[in-house]
């Protein structure tokens, strides 16, 4: 888009995160994500909207947007915060650090590690 207002409007009105949030409201645990590898940025944000998140043991989670001069834009400030609270979300956003599957499970970011 040629101007920031149009870009913001498109991003907020047509985000797949809105669809996932609506599906989770309707389906609950049946709306699930299975993740593996590097679950970063929008990959983490979108998964966190799901009613159930299962992660492979080798998964790594993080929100690196700030290091790129961005803020989480796929709903991460809502979806991740719902799962782990505002302080842990702030830690992930502001530090750019990643966490392993054990920490993600302990924090409630994932629901199971098969």
């Amino acid at each position: 888009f040629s101007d920031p207002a149009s870009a913001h409007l498109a991003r907020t009105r047509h985000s797949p995160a809105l669809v996932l949030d609506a599906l989770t409201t309707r389906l609950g645990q049946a709306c699930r994500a299975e993740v593996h590898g590097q679950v970063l940025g929008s990959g983490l944000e979108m998964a966190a909207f799901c009613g159930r998140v299962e992660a492979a043991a080798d998964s790594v989670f993080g929100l690196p947007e700030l290091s790129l001069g961005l803020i989480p834009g796929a709903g991460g400030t809502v979806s991740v915060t719902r799962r782990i609270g505002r302080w842990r979300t702030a830690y992930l956003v502001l530090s750019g650090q990643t966490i392993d599957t054990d920490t993600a499970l302990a924090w409630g970011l994932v629901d199971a590690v098969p």
Side-chain angles (χ1 to χ4, degrees):
F1 291 94
S2 59
D3 64 289
S6 296
H8 176 72
L9 183 64
R11 187 168 151 187
T12 55
R13 302 274 176 162
H14 304 292
S15 171
L18 297 173
V19 175
L20 271 176
D21 193 33
L23 279 172
T24 299
T25 299
R26 210 168 77 223
L27 301 175
Q29 296 274 330
C31 181
R32 65 186 189 126
E34 295 179 10
V35 299
H36 64 92
Q38 295 189 3
V39 188
L40 304 173
S42 63
L44 172 56
E45 297 170 52
M46 301 295 275
F49 270 114
C50 295
R52 182 168 176 80
V53 179
E54 295 181 9
D58 67 341
S59 300
V60 177
F61 304 85
L63 295 167
E65 288 89 342
L66 199 63
S67 66
L68 302 169
L70 303 169
I71 58 170
T77 55
V78 174
S79 65
V80 175
T81 302
R82 285 181 187 166
R83 286 186 157 272
I84 65 173
R86 63 183 174 182
W87 296 111
R88 289 178 172 158
T89 301
Y91 168 76
L92 290 176
V93 172
L94 297 174
S95 72
Q97 296 294 312
T98 58
I99 58 172
D100 61 13
T101 304
D102 291 335
T103 303
L105 186 61
W107 285 7
L109 191 56
V110 300
D111 300 302
V113 180

